[in-house]
Amino acid sequence: MMLFPAVIGHQGRLFLVGLTALLLSSFAACAAGIYLGSASDLIALIPGLMVLVPPSINMRGSISGAMASRLSSSMHLGEFEIDFHRDSVLGANTSASFLATVILSFVLGIFAWAICRLLGIEGMGIADFILISVLSGILSGILVILIALVTAAVSYKKGIDLDMIASPTVTTAGDIITIPILVLTAVLVIGIDPQIRFLVLMVITAVTVVAFIYYLYNLRGPSYVILKEIVPLLIPLSFLGVLAGIAYVTDIETLITYAVFLVLIPPFMGGCGSIGGILCSRLATGMHMGELSPSVIPTREVFGHFGQSYLYSFILIPVLVLTVYYASMMLGLDSPPLSLLMVICITTGLLVITLVNFIGYFAASMSFRYGLDPDNFGIPVITSFIDLTGAALLVTVINLLL
């Protein structure tokens, strides 16, 4: 009997496609980590900025990743076509994703300010948080949505299974694009005159109100069906992302002292999120196609997907640690010994993937059983879960082993 029955034949080819996408995306995500590590001085001056990093990245991945998962399911069901008409698959997904980006960015800024204020974390006011969140959210959101659309179009034209490449591609794009734009937006916002800042805030508030009104009154068509599921879901998940940022801020001195961890956070969390995203996309497609049953107890086929996730992590995490460690050494960033860094990352990664397997299946199966689209629930739930528990586990393991 094969140890991993999912990794044979056709499934083996899909596994290799996914592994290639994961490795390439993780190498690319290291660039975002290097940028974050190089911004350690700015983070030390403005601790509140670190609070926005996990939820901002998560929101990009949740919105665009869920969109890519829906597009993948539409391909498998034979509903996909290259058409951006308002009620088409592409048109509805694009407009819904952009509106969700505007609304959730505004909410995220308020959440971040409120929690920082509650915990006494100083550095920015509510206007700063909202401006940074919304401006960086719109700019990076447009770019990541475009990348998701291009990935879907190429997958459709080339006959590649979008389930295996969408999550790594979108997650990495979110990391690489969001972090630089977030940091540069923070520098720009804090540096402008307070009166101009107030005027910009009023404009952004008006845009958000218009987007929300459109969301409330556009009660027809497929875009509303998407919005009514993802917006109520992503609002509380954004709050969890802010808590993940708080977890990093509580140990900010260690992260700045050993800046290798700042380099590590984007590709490590992104890699775990991509593995979880592949799992959720495959589960959602299997349930849509009738190949998987949304039972309370996972079936043998589902455990095959779980084994695939573990195999991905056993290959990806060591490669990722070596890349981050030597990149940090070349940049002169401090790090614990390589062996200790490897133990920290593998321990944290296996704990996260174990939880991701079961929570990803639970989110997909429960949403499908209650008549909701698992494409809208699996990836957002998983990425938010990884942000919070991954941050908490990483900080805990660092403090236990350092």
Side-chain angles (χ1 to χ4, degrees), residues 201-275:
L201 177 62
M202 292 299 99
V203 172
I204 285 178
T205 302
V207 170
T208 305
V209 170
V210 169
F212 189 69
I213 292 174
Y214 183 86
Y215 160 65
L216 288 177
Y217 288 95
N218 186 34
L219 302 180
R220 66 181 184 85
S223 61
Y224 175 74
V225 174
I226 296 169
L227 281 169
K228 75 174 184 179
E229 289 190 8
I230 63 172
V231 170
L233 173 68
L234 291 180
I235 287 176
L237 292 182
S238 296
F239 182 78
L240 294 182
V242 173
L243 294 181
I246 294 294
Y248 291 127
V249 171
T250 58
D251 204 34
I252 195 69
E253 292 183 3
T254 301
L255 296 179
I256 292 175
T257 300
Y258 294 106
V260 66
F261 290 117
L262 290 175
V263 179
L264 178 69
I265 287 171
F268 180 78
M269 295 303 172
C272 291
S274 295
I275 293 172

Side-chain angles (χ1 to χ4, degrees), residues 54-74:
S56 296
I57 293 174
N58 170 58
M59 188 166 61
R60 298 291 85 72
S62 294
I63 294 174
S64 298
M67 180 181 75
S69 183
R70 291 191 299 270
L71 295 179
S72 178
S73 293
S74 71

Side-chain angles (χ1 to χ4, degrees), residues 21 64-65 68-69 72 151 161-171 278 281:
S64 298
S69 183
S72 178
T151 303
D161 191 338
L162 187 59
D163 283 334
M164 306 307 294
I165 64 173
S167 185
T169 303
V170 171
T171 300
I278 290 175
S281 292

